[in-house]
């Protein structure tokens, strides 16, 4: 198990479309902490593997990429997300549902998960970190001071992802997306290593029917109760 670090950490785990990304970003911004979008790292490994022409089942090759790839997260002048892989912005390419499926496939391999562990832990720097993913509270940051497990009804998660993809210019059918999300969640929940599940000490928030503001407020209250911020 990882040694506790001095840096305060909040983990936000949950299935696809639960709103983790939006909530984590908003909370990190509100309290001025760093953000780790761990899903983007798995998406990047799958993307970099395909770009390098690796065979889909080349576990070791993908693990080497997970260790060696040059990744930088940032924002452009308008505040839109930028994800730089070897200096090239691939933010759009890695956000498709196809890229999500590729990520979920490589994420089931212990070699890839092990290779990404150190990279993820390096995000824990002062003044604090909000870490978004599937195993942040269970494996990567087991000593986190606040662990959230964010869920929502499957239909609502599919609708949210559908809107998100449409806003980014992807024309996908809702029915097809619902099937793909269910498939991805099942793979994430049933894999042998670091499956998607709530940590035993996590606070579960069901965001069905709740707006972003209400969920952010709940997380801020939970953090304040633990004296993580005023
Ligand atoms: O969160 P996002 O949808 O970007 O994650 C893409 C995929 O990456 C997930 O479906 C999951 O398989 C994998 N993942 C993971 N562990 C994490 C974050 C993401 O296995 N901590």
């Amino acid at each position: 198990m990882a040694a506790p670090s001095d840096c305060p950490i909040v983990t936000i785990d949950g299935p696809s479309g639960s709103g983790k990304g939006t909530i984590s970003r908003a909370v990190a911004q509100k309290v001025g902490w760093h953000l780790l979008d761990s899903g983007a790292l798995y998406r990047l490994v799958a993307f970099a593997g395909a770009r390098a022409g690796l065979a889909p089942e080349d576990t070791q090759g993908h693990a080497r990429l997970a260790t060696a790839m040059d990744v930088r997260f940032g924002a452009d002048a308008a505040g839109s997300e930028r994800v730089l892989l070897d200096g090239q912005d691939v933010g759009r390419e890695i956000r498709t549902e196809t890229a999500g499926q590729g990520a979920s496939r490589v994420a089931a391999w212990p070699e890839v998960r092990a290779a990404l562990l150190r990279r993820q832990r390096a995000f824990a720097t002062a003044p604090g970190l909000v870490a978004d993913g599937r195993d942040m509270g269970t494996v990567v940051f087991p000593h986190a001071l606040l662990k959230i497990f964010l869920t929502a009804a499957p239909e609502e998660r599919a609708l949210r992802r559908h809107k998100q993809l449409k806003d980014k210019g992807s024309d996908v059918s809702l029915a097809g997306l619902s099937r793909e999300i269910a498939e991805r969640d099942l793979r994430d929940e049933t894999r042998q290593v670091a499956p998607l599940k709530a940590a035993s000490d996590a606070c579960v928030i069901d965001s069905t029917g709740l707006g972003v503001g209400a969920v952010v407020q709940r997380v801020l209250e939970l953090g304040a109760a633990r004296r993580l911020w005023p």
Side-chain angles (χ1 to χ4, degrees):
M1 198 182 259
S5 83
D6 290 341
C7 167
I9 298 169
V10 171
T11 57
I12 305 188
D13 290 304
S16 318
S18 55
K20 291 173 288 106
T22 308
I23 302 301
S24 300
R25 181 160 284 116
V27 170
Q29 249 169 24
K30 281 255 181 210
V31 300
W33 285 12
H34 299 287
L35 175 71
L36 165 60
D37 172 1
S38 61
L41 294 176
Y42 288 94
R43 288 171 182 263
L44 283 164
V45 172
F47 179 82
R51 197 176 66 173
L54 294 187
E57 65 284 1
D58 182 353
T59 317
Q60 295 301 339
H62 282 86
R64 275 195 296 276
L65 278 178
T67 306
M69 64 187 183
D70 171 23
V71 176
R72 252 160 279 171
F73 293 98
D76 64 17
S80 297
E81 174 195 48
R82 268 163 67 88
V83 182
L84 299 180
L85 176 64
D86 300 324
Q88 185 197 345
D89 188 0
V90 296
R92 272 180 78 89
E93 288 89 331
I94 64 160
R95 293 299 172 194
T96 63
E97 186 49 32
T98 310
Q101 293 288 343
S104 158
R105 211 171 31 76
V106 301
W109 297 335
E111 297 86 345
V112 168
R113 303 202 74 86
L116 285 181
L117 207 51
R118 184 186 300 197
R119 197 184 268 272
Q120 294 174 93
R121 288 187 178 147
F123 278 78
T125 54
L129 178 69
V130 179
D132 147 15
R134 305 290 189 289
D135 62 340
M136 297 294 100
T138 50
V139 175
V140 182
F141 299 114
H143 301 287
L145 297 174
L146 171 62
K147 300 179 185 179
I148 306 287
F149 192 80
L150 194 58
T151 67
E155 312 78 53
E156 186 154 330
R157 294 194 283 110
L159 277 170
R160 285 181 193 167
R161 278 291 291 155
H162 189 247
K163 178 171 183 318
Q164 214 174 36
L165 289 170
K166 265 188 110 169
D167 289 349
K168 289 188 174 159
S170 271
D171 189 19
V172 287
S173 88
L174 180 60
L177 186 63
S178 299
R179 267 197 309 277
E180 286 184 335
I181 288 182
E183 199 182 295
R184 183 145 70 96
D185 286 343
L186 182 68
R187 195 185 299 136
D188 290 347
E189 284 161 1
T190 54
R191 67 182 173 222
Q192 296 290 317
V193 194
L196 163 66
K197 65 170 184 203
S200 55
D201 50 349
C203 304
V204 178
I205 301 180
D206 183 344
S207 68
T208 310
L210 292 181
V212 172
V215 181
V216 170
Q217 190 52 36
R218 181 83 191 108
V219 177
L220 290 175
E221 284 165 9
L222 288 166
R226 285 165 178 71
R227 301 188 189 287
L228 295 181
W229 43 69

